Amino acid sequence: GRAAGALFFAVNNAYRLHKGFDALYSCDLGWWKVHEAGCRGIGLRITQDRRAQALDPEIRRVRALPGTRVIMTARYGEIGFGGNSGFQAVNLAVQFGAKRIVLVGFDFHQRLGTHWHGDHDRGAGLKNPQQRTLDGWRLNFDANAPIFEELGIEVILGTSESALQNYPVRDLEELLDEIAQERAASGGEPGREASHGPARDADGGEPGRSAAA
């Protein structure tokens, strides 16, 4: 079920899993060339690539600073690069004001396959990450745990298969029910919850929930 007041953010191909996503993020031009037409039903679509934005003026663009590996909050619409779409999407969720972010499918390993949807078509210019790349992304995401804590943001893993080590794991259905109950108790005010979609890796994989400029 869907928690009232929660924002559901898809990363990359995750938009194909559910028709009710509030927003979609992908950092790669090659991805947008393949999927732009198929995801037009999502109201808020975001990228960091100017060329991808040129495919449709309705696509919003943020600035991901090359070489940066930390969650950034100083300027709205200016986010950490982190090497992958998932990290960038989470940084956007932080800038959207989320106080609880639920990560779904942020596995950072290939034990279940490169991506939940299979390999990307290399003809589209998309790369499928090697495990050493995923290890680097995982270490970087774990290293940002103190930043989330300092910002007062609770980051929760909604799937138990993740290689991330610095965030608690919760049952996703129980968590969504809990969020819905909290929203009902508070009068159903719009929430500051961010739930992210499948991200087996996070750039050539699929993460999920964020913000735009």
Side-chain angles (χ1 to χ4, degrees):
R2 176 172 184 136
L7 174 68
F8 284 76
F9 212 118
V11 178
N12 295 338
N13 291 42
Y15 81 93
R16 299 164 64 183
L17 296 177
H18 179 55
K19 295 186 180 299
F21 282 110
D22 300 296
L24 164 68
Y25 185 87
S26 180
C27 68
D28 296 307
L29 172 63
W31 187 91
W32 285 103
K33 286 182 175 179
V34 174
H35 295 278
E36 188 279 321
C39 64
R40 289 179 182 172
I42 298 176
L44 182 58
R45 298 182 299 161
I46 313 158
T47 186
Q48 59 87 38
D49 194 297
R50 187 183 301 275
R51 297 165 298 171
Q53 187 184 34
L55 297 173
D56 185 341
E58 294 297 320
I59 298 174
R60 303 291 186 90
R61 189 174 69 87
V62 295
R63 185 184 181 198
L65 300 184
T68 55
R69 298 184 178 183
V70 296
I71 295 296
M72 302 177 67
T73 60
R75 297 183 62 184
Y76 187 73
E78 190 171 271
I79 59 176
F81 191 77
N84 60 83
S85 293
F87 182 89
Q88 294 170 25
V90 170
N91 200 154
L92 283 173
V94 170
Q95 293 194 4
F96 275 176
K99 290 303 180 183
R100 174 162 43 189
I101 299 174
V102 181
L103 305 177
V104 180
F106 278 60
D107 294 347
F108 295 104
H109 63 72
Q110 297 182 334
R111 294 192 296 273
L112 301 177
T114 307
H115 308 282
W116 63 270
H117 52 78
D119 287 353
H120 283 303
D121 181 0
R122 293 188 177 183
L126 293 170
K127 297 180 180 180
N128 295 294
Q130 301 297 312
Q131 184 58 53
R132 63 178 178 274
T133 300
L134 299 179
D135 290 341
W137 292 348
R138 192 264 305 167
L139 289 170
N140 181 62
F141 207 103
D142 270 334
N144 275 268
I147 295 179
F148 293 120
E149 184 175 0
E150 182 179 345
L151 293 171
I153 298 171
E154 183 182 17
V155 177
I156 302 170
L157 300 175
T159 48
S160 61
E161 298 84 3
S162 177
L164 290 169
Q165 300 177 5
N166 292 346
Y167 307 97
V169 180
R170 294 280 306 276
D171 179 82
L172 183 59
E173 288 300 323
E174 290 182 2
L175 185 57
L176 291 176
D177 287 343
E178 178 181 303
I179 293 171
Q181 291 172 9
E182 290 176 359
R183 290 295 126 216
S186 64
E189 298 179 358
R192 292 294 186 181
E193 317 291 346
S195 178
H196 289 267
R200 176 120 316 147
D201 39 67
D203 190 2
E206 314 329 89
R209 181 167 267 275
S210 284

